[in-house]
Amino acid sequence: MEITAELNNSLSQAYALVRCGDLQGIQIGGRNQWRVERSRLECYIEQAYQRTAASLGDLPRDLPAEQQP
């Protein structure tokens, strides 16, 4: 399974997640190949859901009323 398919992002975005440490992986060999275990990917996804839920708590519950001209 490819991370890009699971996260619906590009290869460069997946590399960026690994390189910055948000997504834990290990480098294999010297050709810039990475391995991310499924359990680490699942943990990353769960944390992303938690971050999203926390940020949604900061949003107003109701849409602002439209301004009248």
Side-chain angles (χ1 to χ4, degrees):
M1 183 214 41
E2 292 220 6
I3 294 170
T4 56
E6 183 74 17
L7 297 178
N8 193 28
N9 67 6
S10 70
L11 189 56
S12 63
Q13 289 171 321
Y15 279 132
L17 289 172
V18 172
R19 286 189 179 128
C20 77
D22 287 348
L23 178 58
Q24 294 182 340
I26 57 172
Q27 191 169 13
I28 306 294
R31 295 195 156 183
N32 208 22
Q33 295 181 7
W34 291 84
R35 175 183 169 87
V36 176
E37 293 181 25
R38 173 155 284 293
S39 62
R40 302 290 181 157
L41 180 59
E42 294 295 333
C43 182
Y44 170 79
I45 293 170
E46 180 58 35
Q47 290 171 351
Y49 274 111
Q50 291 172 5
R51 286 190 304 271
T52 300
S55 68
L56 288 176
D58 296 336
L59 296 175
R61 291 186 179 266
D62 297 322
L63 294 175
E66 290 186 30
Q67 295 179 351
Q68 299 296 325

